[in-house]
């Protein structure tokens, strides 16, 4: 009999979602505006400690708005972490600009300050500094924001912090997503909290967020008829979805605890296996552990991340390989890329990284299924490796 499917990070409704939604339905505040949107924006801004936020239909829309507000246009360049999901970079293309990709460092898996500094130095020499740097906080772990901020400030280039995966994480006590000129969050179905689909753009610059709200609502001029002086977008979140978001936000602290607990259980069960290394957590940071992620050194484990993925899939367990770096995506093959010195860390992470089921509704019994499968596969891998080494006379030499 086929075992029940274990998903990577499914939506989890566990609080007062029905209560808030019913209120919204009863009061007929469905769309396009409504009190839940205002409250969700205020509550989230206050949670992360920024002055304002605008709720939109996706994290991608939030990045698009941030880039527009920074005046990114055709012919500009924007630097972006390479080890991320495509959504971090697509909005650069929407505006006719060109992305330049920056490698990761291994202690955070996020943007390497070395690579960024080199890229900015060269851009300055060429008289072509980027209009913005998009720094992604991957799998819930903050990038090394103080070093990255120092470099960006030196060159006078604003930061957009892509915190789609790191809502609730902190860096030296400060919330992930609040370091740059703008921060963005995602509430899509697999994120730590979800509105089914949605995102938020946040900033301490209240005037910029007001402009974002205006642009996200088709840029309607304040006139008694429909008048538009600039191009806008239809990007606002509906009141109904904001009502779900409010309830989800109430559970965020619990969610982080649960994600971290899931990580700890994986770590305690699997970290001793030869060739296995878990994603690190930088000192003075608190990752949300959005996805528990590890790397497998195939030469030691005798199994690759891809083989483990397939084995988990046969057990009806959904896992994912680590992000394929954007500079290796066919659509970006002509774009510039700066590595971390001689190493190409993002490529190495892609070759060896795997994300394990990390949903906050994951039961311990389900997690044990995942753990048992991984142990079995890696034990087999070790035996196979021993057999292969023995066969070719590597052992005993
Ligand atoms: C790093 C990163 N950036 C941006 C996004 C885009 O968010 P959304 O799916 O809400 O557009 C996502 C998630 O999908 C993401 O993981």
């Amino acid at each position: 009999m086929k075992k029940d499917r274990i998903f990577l990070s499914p939506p989890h409704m566990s609080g007062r979602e029905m209560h808030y939604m019913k209120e919204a339905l009863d009061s007929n505040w469905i769309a396009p505006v409504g009190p839940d949107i205002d409250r969700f924006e205020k509550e989230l801004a206050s949670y992360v400690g920024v002055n304002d936020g605008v709720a939109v239909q996706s994290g991608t829309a939030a990045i698009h708005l941030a880039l527009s507000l920074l005046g990114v246009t055709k012919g500009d360049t924007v630097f972006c972490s390479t080890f991320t999901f495509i959504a971090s970079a697509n909005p650069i293309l929407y505006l006719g600009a060109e992305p330049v990709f920056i490698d990761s460092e291994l202690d955070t898996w996020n943007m390497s300050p070395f690579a960024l500094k080199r890229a900015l130095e060269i851009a300055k020499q060429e008289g072509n500094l980027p209009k913005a740097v998009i720094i992604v906080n991957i799998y819930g772990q903050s990038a090394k924001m103080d070093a990255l901020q120092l470099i960006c400030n030196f060159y006078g280039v604003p930061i957009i912090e892509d915190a789609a995966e790191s809502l609730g994480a902190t860096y030296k006590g400060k919330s992930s997503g609040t370091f740059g000129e703008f921060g963005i969050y995602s509430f899509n179905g697999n994120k730590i909290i979800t509105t089914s689909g949605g995102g938020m753009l946040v900033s301490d610059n209240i005037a910029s967020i007001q402009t974002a709200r205006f642009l996200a609502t088709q840029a309607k001029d304040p006139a008694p008829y429909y008048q538009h002086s600039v191009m806008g977008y239809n990007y606002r979140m509906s009141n109904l979805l904001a009502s779900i978001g409010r309830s989800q936000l109430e559970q965020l602290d619990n969610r982080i605890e649960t994600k971290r607990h899931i990580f700890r259980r994986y770590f305690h069960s699997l970290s001793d296996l030869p060739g296995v290394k878990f994603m690190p957590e930088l000192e003075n940071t608190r990752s949300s552990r959005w996805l528990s992620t590890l790397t497998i050194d195939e030469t030691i484990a005798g199994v690759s991340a891809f083989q483990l993925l397939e084995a988990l899939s046969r057990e009806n367990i959904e896992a994912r390989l680590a992000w394929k770096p954007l500079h290796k995506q066919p659509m970006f093959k002509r774009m510039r890329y700066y590595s971390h010195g001689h190493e190409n860390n993002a490529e190495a992470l892609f070759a060896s990284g795997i994300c394990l089921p990390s949903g906050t509704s994951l039961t311990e019994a389900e997690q044990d299924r995942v753990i048992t499968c991984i142990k079995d596969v890696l034990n087999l891998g070790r035996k196979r490796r021993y057999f292969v080494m023995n066969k070719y006379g590597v052992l005993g030499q």
Side-chain angles (χ1 to χ4, degrees):
M1 203 180 76
K2 204 163 183 195
K3 291 180 186 143
D4 285 345
R5 182 122 175 104
I6 298 177
F7 291 99
L8 185 76
S9 185
H12 184 193
M13 300 287 127
S14 61
R16 299 201 289 168
E17 287 85 0
M18 281 305 274
H19 168 77
Y20 285 124
M21 263 178 81
K22 189 170 179 316
E23 257 182 18
L25 287 165
D26 287 347
S27 60
N28 206 34
W29 283 115
I30 310 299
V33 289
D36 288 297
I37 302 179
D38 302 342
R39 287 183 195 134
F40 186 39
E41 288 171 347
K42 284 200 176 70
E43 285 159 4
L44 190 131
S46 143
Y47 181 94
V48 296
V50 285
N51 286 338
D52 208 356
V54 55
V56 289
Q57 288 171 8
S58 66
T60 313
I63 299 173
H64 189 187
L65 286 170
L67 290 168
S68 304
L69 287 162
L70 292 173
V72 173
T73 185
K74 200 168 178 344
D76 287 336
T77 56
V78 173
F79 288 6
C80 181
S81 306
T82 194
F83 187 61
T84 183
F85 181 47
I86 192 75
S88 303
N90 268 339
I92 303 169
L93 304 184
Y94 301 166
L95 292 161
E98 208 167 271
V100 172
F101 296 111
I102 313 292
D103 200 9
S104 296
E105 55 176 354
L106 288 182
D107 45 358
T108 61
W109 293 19
N110 287 311
M111 188 179 281
S112 152
F114 294 106
L116 176 67
K117 190 159 181 288
R118 203 169 78 252
L120 282 170
E121 245 164 47
I122 292 170
K124 187 162 186 212
Q125 280 160 18
E126 292 174 351
N128 188 26
L129 278 172
K131 272 276 177 68
V133 177
I134 300 176
I135 299 174
V136 182
N137 304 300
I138 216 72
Y139 302 136
Q141 168 64 50
S142 291
K144 223 174 259 169
M145 287 313 298
D146 47 5
L148 294 168
Q149 245 181 336
L150 213 65
I151 297 165
C152 287
N153 287 346
F154 180 81
Y155 289 94
V157 182
I159 292 171
I160 298 170
E161 220 190 330
D162 179 345
E165 302 179 3
S166 63
L167 175 62
T170 55
Y171 179 84
K172 299 191 174 172
K174 189 168 151 69
S175 290
S176 184
T178 65
F179 287 81
E181 183 71 26
F182 294 103
I184 76 97
Y185 301 108
S186 164
F187 314 119
N188 84 18
N190 67 19
K191 293 298 182 290
I192 193 158
I193 62 168
T194 184
T195 56
S196 75
M200 203 174 297
L201 175 71
V202 298
S203 178
D204 275 331
N205 188 332
I206 294 175
S208 288
I209 293 297
Q210 271 163 358
T211 309
R213 226 172 251 127
F214 165 77
L215 292 175
T217 329
Q218 302 287 23
K220 289 183 202 132
D221 287 345
Y225 34 78
Y226 285 104
Q227 176 176 294
H228 308 270
S229 309
V230 295
M231 185 182 77
Y233 312 95
N234 182 8
Y235 272 171
R236 285 293 261 155
M237 180 183 277
S238 85
N239 193 65
L240 205 52
L241 297 191
S243 76
I244 300 177
R246 291 185 60 210
S247 165
Q248 290 268 299
L249 186 60
E250 289 174 351
Q251 304 162 66
L252 180 54
D253 286 336
N254 267 334
R255 294 288 167 91
I256 295 167
E257 275 314 316
T258 307
K259 292 268 188 196
R260 290 179 65 84
H261 177 70
I262 290 169
F263 178 88
R264 278 194 299 272
R265 281 194 91 234
Y266 279 131
F267 185 87
H268 289 311
S269 312
L270 302 171
S271 58
D272 284 344
L273 293 172
V276 167
K277 250 197 212 158
F278 277 84
M279 183 177 184
E281 184 177 49
L282 195 67
E283 212 179 314
N284 272 327
T285 67
R286 190 165 190 266
S287 169
S288 68
R289 295 292 187 193
W290 171 58
L291 292 183
S292 290
T293 302
L294 53 83
T295 56
I296 297 177
D297 183 338
E298 191 183 349
T299 60
I300 300 172
V303 176
S304 68
F306 182 66
Q307 286 168 324
L308 178 59
L309 181 88
E310 287 192 314
L312 288 163
S313 171
R314 278 195 293 277
E315 287 294 305
N316 213 11
I317 296 168
E318 184 188 26
R320 286 280 160 86
L321 295 180
W323 297 120
K324 178 171 180 173
L326 296 187
H327 71 274
K328 292 304 246 181
Q329 297 291 349
M331 67 183 279
F332 288 135
K333 67 172 181 269
R334 276 193 294 279
M335 302 301 165
R336 283 175 98 167
Y337 152 73
Y338 289 89
S339 66
H340 176 89
H342 295 301
E343 300 105 62
N344 288 290
N345 291 331
E347 289 176 38
L349 291 170
F350 168 57
S352 60
I354 183 165
C355 308
L356 304 180
S358 308
T360 43
S361 51
L362 187 76
T363 63
E364 293 205 341
E366 285 172 331
Q367 192 178 8
D368 289 342
R369 247 178 76 198
V370 182
I371 290 168
T372 305
C373 176
I374 297 174
K375 278 187 172 163
D376 287 351
V377 171
L378 292 189
N379 284 335
L380 271 174
R382 262 206 315 285
K383 280 186 199 141
R384 191 179 64 183
R385 184 172 164 274
Y386 181 86
F387 172 77
V388 171
M389 287 170 85
N390 206 17
K391 184 170 165 197
Y392 292 101
V394 179
L395 294 177
Q397 274 182 5

